[in-house]
Amino acid sequence: MENKNTEINELLVRLNEESLQDYKIVDFWEADTTAIGIQIGNNLIYISTFNYETTHKYNVIIEKYDTGEIIEQEKEIIYNELIEMIQKIKI
């Protein structure tokens, strides 16, 4: 995505190489070059790379897609944990 930072674009390439199903990339934060979302059914994983350069971790929040209700509070996770999170979310 042109308006996103290198870390987000690298994440999107890596996600595309995974055999994940039933997810959609969404971008409600066009002005935020460090954020992207993954929609799985009625769930949204907000992913930020704001501190990625120093921590090598993503900041994620899981919320309901339609209401924005927080399902899981913000936490820092590594790539493999993000993949596990995506795989565990039920549609």
Side-chain angles (χ1 to χ4, degrees), residues 5-91:
N5 70 5
T6 302
E7 289 84 8
I8 287 290
N9 284 307
E10 288 174 358
L11 172 63
L12 293 175
V13 168
R14 290 181 75 183
L15 287 174
N16 192 45
E17 293 171 351
E18 298 285 342
S19 35
L20 300 170
Q21 298 178 4
D22 302 321
Y23 78 95
K24 180 174 138 182
I25 301 298
V26 294
D27 186 10
F28 299 119
W29 314 275
E30 289 181 23
D32 185 348
T33 61
T34 66
I36 199 74
I38 296 176
Q39 179 188 358
I40 304 169
N42 193 35
N43 297 298
L44 176 69
I45 303 173
Y46 165 85
I47 305 168
S48 173
T49 60
F50 182 74
N51 290 320
Y52 188 85
E53 192 172 301
T54 55
T55 65
H56 297 285
K57 293 182 178 181
Y58 303 100
N59 291 74
V60 298
I61 301 170
I62 302 176
E63 56 188 53
K64 292 196 184 255
Y65 182 82
D66 294 336
T67 65
E69 176 188 342
I70 303 293
I71 297 170
E72 207 169 304
Q73 294 292 325
E74 182 175 357
K75 63 182 175 180
E76 287 186 332
I77 60 175
I78 62 173
Y79 179 78
N80 290 341
E81 293 171 318
L82 176 61
I83 296 303
E84 289 175 16
M85 180 183 284
I86 292 168
Q87 292 171 331
K88 288 180 182 178
I89 292 181
K90 304 286 186 219
I91 293 180

